[in-house]
Amino acid sequence: MTVVAEVVRGPWPGSVEFGARGEVTVAGVSLVEIAARFGTPSYVIDEADVRRRCREYKAALPGAEIAYAAKAFLCRAMASWMRAERMSIDVCSAGELAVARSVGFPAERIIFHGNAKTPRELTAAVNEGVGRIVVDNLAEISRLAALVPAGRRQKVLVRVIPDVGAGAHAALRTGGEDQQFGLSIATGAAGEAVARVLDQPSLELTGLHCHLGSQIRAPEPYETAVRVMVEQTARVRERHGVLLPELDLGGGHGIAYLPGEHGLDVAEFGRRIDRALRERCAARGLPVPRLIVEPGRAISGPAGVTLYRVISVKRGLTRTYVAVDGGMSDNPRHSLYGAPYEVRLVGRASNAGTRPVHVVGHHCEAGDVLAEDAPLPADVHPGDVIVMAATGAYHHSMASTYNLTGRPPVVAVGEGGARLVVRREGAEDLMRRDVGL
Ligand SMILES: *Cc1c(COP(=O)(O)O)cnc(C)c1O
């Protein structure tokens, strides 16, 4: 089997191999065999690739805390891999918290986020003893303080808006003014939140947090954020005489979705952020705070692929539609943001030449498109298996049961072969919640 070198650094897991007769393996496991054994559609995730990415972050940012953003993809296997890699975890709901805790993930390494945490979620976070809660609005400060049992202090970060615009799509930009996340420096809300937290004896402010957006592939926006955040940290010292020991720069690190693209260079990011942080802190006479970064997509995204089976091929007047047995219910990203994807035929060679097609799903929506103008062999036909790259983040976690379609299983691949870590959802699962009549 030959490895096609140029795609290895693209959107695929590092272990992918493309054979001359159309075989595709991930971590040495044949995708055709996975499709036969577990059915389609199926999510496949390469455990070693996920874990290697965690280590890459630790090597690039020695001394920093690396918190995996669970909203990208979480199941109990994933949480236990994160525990084994000594990562921290970001959660943003009681559900994500429960999954992380169910595998014994240490509460002190959990960071709880959310712009509208419910009282029930705040209670769960405090009761579980999460390491930090990220304050994202003024109302939750006294609410949170009241939940902390006597004799304990809850560590908190305050999420500020650094007003740095970055990210691949408007829906993915969260670092600028006038969106629902964080507290504005310009309006004084961020300063007010800091003062109120410092006024609560049951809360301990450990640092400021920001998150610029998602799919950011260059280090410059983060360098700008370091300047803003160090300046704000210095102001907290000036106004309150408090030295904040931590600085959380959020996540949003970009990955490749198409061949030839590149994601954020993690090693370069590490060097540049470290330098910017040292320089800015020296300029302001501050000790260098411990850095926290929160990659989600960059840990799980490229480690995952999705397998589909072709159900029909329809030649329209101007284009060809290849309809598969999944769609916007297992991958809403194309219909939400027009996200591009790489697809390939699996399991047979074709010398028919390639032709751009629209890969569409089986849902009753014209917007149920998975990939536009994707080059597939001209003889693609019903029964073929196709694989889509870079589906390890924001696919399973954003999946819905639209049209009462059960969500696909998650199959982990590694040295021991393939194993089911999340089973397929069937009609009986869907009906279990439906207590009507
Ligand atoms: C979504 C999110 C992340 C992770 O974003 P990625 O693009 O997956 O890296 C990190 N931190 C916060 C606060 C987030 O909301």
Side-chain angles (χ1 to χ4, degrees):
M1 185 166 285
T2 47
V3 180
V4 181
E6 87 273 14
V7 299
V8 170
R9 283 190 57 78
W12 300 94
S15 67
V16 75
E17 291 190 14
F18 297 95
R21 287 191 304 275
E23 323 87 291
V24 185
T25 63
V26 175
V29 182
S30 153
L31 295 185
V32 169
E33 280 168 28
I34 291 179
R37 184 170 154 205
F38 300 97
T40 51
S42 282
Y43 300 115
V44 178
I45 186 123
D46 179 343
E47 173 180 351
D49 198 66
V50 166
R51 295 171 72 143
R52 179 177 62 76
R53 289 171 200 279
C54 297
R55 290 173 200 174
E56 208 171 278
Y57 269 95
K58 296 220 158 172
L61 293 151
E65 179 175 358
I66 317 294
Y68 170 64
K71 73 174 196 264
F73 167 63
L74 191 68
C75 61
R76 299 204 290 168
M78 184 70 181
S80 70
W81 303 340
M82 293 303 107
R83 188 192 58 197
E85 293 300 326
R86 302 202 53 76
M87 296 279 281
S88 292
I89 280 191
D90 263 15
V91 300
C92 55
S93 71
E96 289 175 359
L97 176 62
V99 169
R101 292 292 288 149
S102 77
V103 301
F105 195 93
E108 63 274 14
R109 294 212 309 268
I110 297 178
I111 302 175
F112 201 105
H113 283 277
N115 67 312
K117 303 172 203 76
T118 63
R120 193 176 70 85
E121 285 172 323
L122 283 176
T123 306
V126 171
N127 288 351
E128 288 289 341
V130 304
R132 272 136 303 164
I133 295 176
V134 183
V135 166
D136 192 311
N137 60 69
L138 293 171
E140 72 185 349
I141 297 170
S142 53
R143 205 179 285 155
L144 173 60
L147 290 170
V148 181
R152 254 186 59 194
R153 288 184 90 200
Q154 174 65 52
K155 290 184 176 164
V156 303
L157 300 165
V158 167
R159 177 165 178 170
V160 306
I161 299 175
D163 205 16
V164 177
H169 184 279
L172 300 178
R173 286 194 280 268
T174 57
E177 294 287 349
D178 290 319
Q179 39 78 35
Q180 70 267 48
F181 301 102
L183 290 143
S184 167
I185 296 167
T187 67
E192 178 64 22
V194 165
R196 289 198 200 177
V197 169
L198 292 173
D199 262 353
Q200 294 286 351
S202 63
L203 301 182
E204 178 186 347
L205 182 65
T206 64
L208 303 179
H209 171 279
C210 69
H211 176 67
L212 303 185
S214 213
Q215 245 331 58
I216 301 167
R217 299 164 198 246
E220 286 80 11
Y222 294 99
E223 291 176 317
T224 309
V226 165
R227 273 202 294 283
V228 175
M229 298 299 281
V230 169
E231 181 56 31
Q232 293 305 310
T233 300
R235 288 201 193 159
V236 172
R237 185 183 57 180
E238 281 158 18
R239 282 190 201 148
H240 305 283
V242 172
L243 261 181
L244 300 177
E246 297 180 326
L247 176 57
D248 190 332
L249 281 186
H253 306 167
I255 63 168
Y257 278 97
L258 294 176
E261 288 182 354
H262 62 89
L264 180 75
D265 181 332
V266 176
E268 192 201 354
F269 168 81
R271 282 191 296 274
R272 290 181 55 167
I273 293 310
D274 181 65
R275 189 191 317 140
L277 194 55
R278 278 170 205 292
E279 281 174 11
R280 302 315 303 172
C281 288
R284 288 305 250 117
L286 280 177
V288 176
R290 183 172 193 220
L291 185 67
I292 305 169
V293 294
E294 306 177 327
R297 186 190 314 270
I299 298 287
S300 58
V305 301
T306 304
L307 295 174
Y308 298 104
R309 197 171 289 276
V310 174
I311 301 295
S312 78
V313 177
K314 212 178 262 178
R315 298 185 205 288
L317 214 48
T318 59
R319 55 170 77 106
T320 297
Y321 294 91
V322 173
V324 299
D325 53 1
M328 65 194 294
S329 60
D330 65 79
N331 174 11
R333 292 191 68 257
H334 186 84
S335 37
L336 277 175
Y337 327 121
Y341 282 98
E342 154 90 334
V343 289
R344 288 211 174 204
L345 179 66
V346 175
R348 69 175 179 86
S350 167
N351 45 25
T354 63
R355 174 181 58 191
V357 299
H358 277 21
V359 179
V360 299
H362 65 160
H363 295 288
C364 310
E365 294 277 339
D368 181 22
V369 176
L370 291 171
E372 285 176 59
D373 294 322
L376 276 178
D379 62 354
V380 63
H381 55 68
D384 275 339
V385 174
I386 63 170
V387 59
M388 179 171 277
T391 67
Y394 302 107
H395 280 236
H396 180 263
S397 65
M398 291 180 98
S400 74
T401 57
Y402 182 44
N403 289 147
L404 291 184
T405 311
R407 287 167 289 185
V410 180
V411 178
V413 290
E415 270 176 18
R419 74 179 204 280
L420 191 65
V421 294
V422 179
R423 67 168 171 77
R424 186 180 301 283
E425 192 171 37
E428 49 315 331
D429 292 308
L430 301 173
M431 282 187 280
R432 195 164 297 141
R433 297 175 57 239
D434 181 342
V435 296
L437 290 196

